[in-house]
Structure formats: structure tokens, C-alpha cells
Amino acid sequence: MSQNEMVLQKLDQGLLTITMNRPDRRNALNPDMTRGLVEAARRAAEDHEVRAVLLKGAGGTFCVGGDVKSMAEGRAPLPFEAKMANLRRGMEVSRILHQMPKPVVAQVDGAAAGAGLSIALSCDLRVASASCKITTAFAKVGLSGDYGGTYFLTQLLGSAKARELYLTSPVLSAQEAYNLGIVTKVVPDAEVEEAAHDLAMSLAQGPSVTLGYIKRNINNAETMSLEECFDAEAIHHSRSGETDDHKEAAKAFVEKRKPAFQGH
């Protein structure tokens, strides 16, 4: 399977759907897939036609993380520095999806484990199928974690719960993950594709400039001081108020109709 076939991209009405396409290995990450994911994430961030992203896996599974079977096959060992550089390069997919000023929805079905869970956590919203299994998994294979999972889970749940989920690595049901706040909603298995697509498409048809600033405000809150966040909010709110989409929304409110956003 070529690199392009391993990570599929489809742009429709402003929604870029990125599909991890290695169903025979439950979309386990290998070098070609991680390279394709980083390329797709960069395209999503830089292509002005892209207004929102849907990330999913082919074959009924989101992603089970690194290809442990491949790891065990014993390829020629790389020097530590080369291994670290390769891993860090692949991890860029999580950083780009988290930081880019466009909403990202993950369709989490089947399983999200290890680095697969980390990538799902880097997205803004997660729609899970009822039978989906979710686990950090790393400790069970003697690894400490990658793709930003420790960062995102700590931000999402706090240090105490993140420690528990990483150190003991329980397998959570979708409902348990929802109760903790890890996933946004849980839907029947047969409805997950439609539910995730509809949510992502609604964001792609939304006020894109404003949604980008909302995401930036939330990201700012992860690292900036109160004063810095207030300053940024004032700038972003004022800028949003100048967009055509804000003017359209105000007009639609008065006319009691649904606004038709253009993304500018």
C-alpha cells in the first residue's frame, strides 16, 4: 500500500476528512502512516479551502496506536538520536491538529489506544461509538507514552486522573470515557459515522474566523497568564465582530432565521 493510500484525504464543502487507512492492522501507526498524517494535518492547517477537519479510521477502528507487532519483529536498530528524531517528527500531527485555528472532530469507533488515543485527544471534539474501547495502553507494553497523550489528558482531566489512567492503563468503555469527559458524545455503533460527519460539517459551515479565535483562546488558557488571556480575548472578540459572518448572524437573529456563514 502506498503512502497516499494509507492516509486518505477528501475535501467536501470546507470539511477535510482524513482517514487512517490500514484496516488490516486496525490502523496501527507505521512510518508511512505517520508521515501521511503529518502531511494531511499540515494541508488542513494551510489550505484556506479547509474550514474544519474530521479524523477517522477505516474498517471500524480509529487507531490502536503504534504497530507493536512490527516493533517486535526486530528491524535493524537505529541510534537513539535517530529514533527520537523520527518519533518527534511523527508526533507533529498531534501538535498541528491541536494548535491550528480550525475545529477538528475525531470519529472514535472500535478502539482508540496508545498513540491512537493521544491523537484523538489532540482533536477538539470526539464522537465515540457505544462499543468503542479506550485505553492509554503504554504501560502494558513497557512504554511511557507519546503523541502528546500525557499533555492532553492532563489538560483535559487534571493531573490525578491522568496519572491513574497512564499508570494503571484500564480499558474504558465509551460510556466511562464520556462520564470522565474524554469523549464529547456516545452514539450507537451504526450512527457514529453520520454523527461525527454531521458535527464536523456543521463546524465547516460555521463562522470560521470566529471558531479559530475561540480555539486560540482556549489554547491560550493552557499556558498564558490571566492578563495575557484577557488581552488576547479582547483582540479576538473585536476582530470577530468585524467579520461578515458576525454581521450575517446579527441580521439573521433580527430576521429570526438561520444564518448563512461564509467563513469570513
Side-chain angles (χ1 to χ4, degrees):
M1 185 178 287
S2 73
Q3 175 181 321
N4 287 339
E5 292 173 331
M6 204 165 284
V7 177
L8 307 178
Q9 300 181 39
K10 178 185 177 185
L11 180 61
D12 176 35
Q13 303 177 69
L15 176 63
L16 180 68
T17 299
I18 301 172
T19 304
M20 294 174 279
N21 187 35
R22 203 181 176 214
D24 56 318
R25 302 297 285 265
R26 304 187 76 196
N27 301 313
L29 299 173
N30 68 3
D32 284 343
M33 181 177 285
T34 55
R35 194 159 37 245
L37 282 172
V38 173
E39 290 173 357
R42 290 196 191 284
R43 184 260 178 105
E46 296 169 2
D47 187 339
H48 296 300
E49 297 298 317
V50 177
R51 296 171 61 183
V53 176
L54 172 62
L55 178 63
K56 65 180 189 176
T61 296
F62 181 73
C63 174
V64 294
D67 192 337
V68 178
K69 184 177 179 181
S70 174
M71 294 176 198
E73 286 173 352
R75 291 165 297 183
L78 292 173
F80 169 80
E81 288 75 12
K83 285 194 292 186
M84 185 180 69
N86 287 345
L87 176 58
R88 182 63 186 86
R89 191 180 305 115
M91 289 168 62
E92 278 296 277
V93 61
S94 296
R95 184 192 64 77
I96 296 168
L97 293 177
H98 184 66
Q99 291 185 334
M100 69 178 190
K102 301 173 184 178
V104 183
V105 175
Q107 175 186 316
V108 184
D109 47 357
L117 175 59
S118 300
I119 294 171
L121 292 172
S122 76
C123 301
D124 300 300
L125 302 167
R126 287 158 289 282
V127 178
S129 63
S131 68
C132 180
K133 302 299 182 187
I134 293 172
T135 179
T136 59
F138 291 106
K140 290 184 177 177
V141 291
L143 294 171
S144 56
D146 56 13
Y147 283 74
T150 53
Y151 176 87
F152 297 123
L153 206 60
T154 301
Q155 293 289 341
L156 200 60
L157 306 182
S159 175
K161 201 65 185 179
R163 289 167 197 264
E164 176 189 335
L165 295 182
Y166 262 84
L167 291 172
T168 67
S169 197
V171 177
L172 304 176
S173 68
Q175 188 60 46
E176 290 171 328
Y178 174 78
N179 292 342
L180 288 172
I182 294 175
V183 301
T184 310
K185 65 164 69 173
V186 180
V187 299
D189 291 0
E191 298 174 15
V192 67
E193 186 161 356
E194 181 179 3
H197 180 272
D198 287 352
L199 176 59
M201 183 59 83
S202 72
L203 293 166
Q205 300 300 307
S208 299
V209 173
T210 294
L211 295 182
Y213 282 129
I214 289 173
K215 184 168 174 175
R216 186 171 298 179
N217 286 341
I218 303 297
N219 284 345
N220 284 350
E222 295 176 350
T223 58
M224 288 184 174
S225 68
L226 179 64
E227 289 78 8
E228 290 171 327
C229 287
F230 272 39
D231 290 343
E233 270 198 354
I235 294 169
H236 299 158
H237 191 83
S238 299
R239 170 68 186 98
S240 298
E242 294 180 344
T243 63
D244 290 342
D245 282 340
H246 168 67
K247 294 167 186 172
E248 161 64 8
K251 186 177 179 183
F253 179 81
V254 172
E255 297 174 355
K256 298 181 179 179
R257 61 174 174 81
K258 185 178 178 181
F261 295 120
Q262 301 300 315
H264 52 77

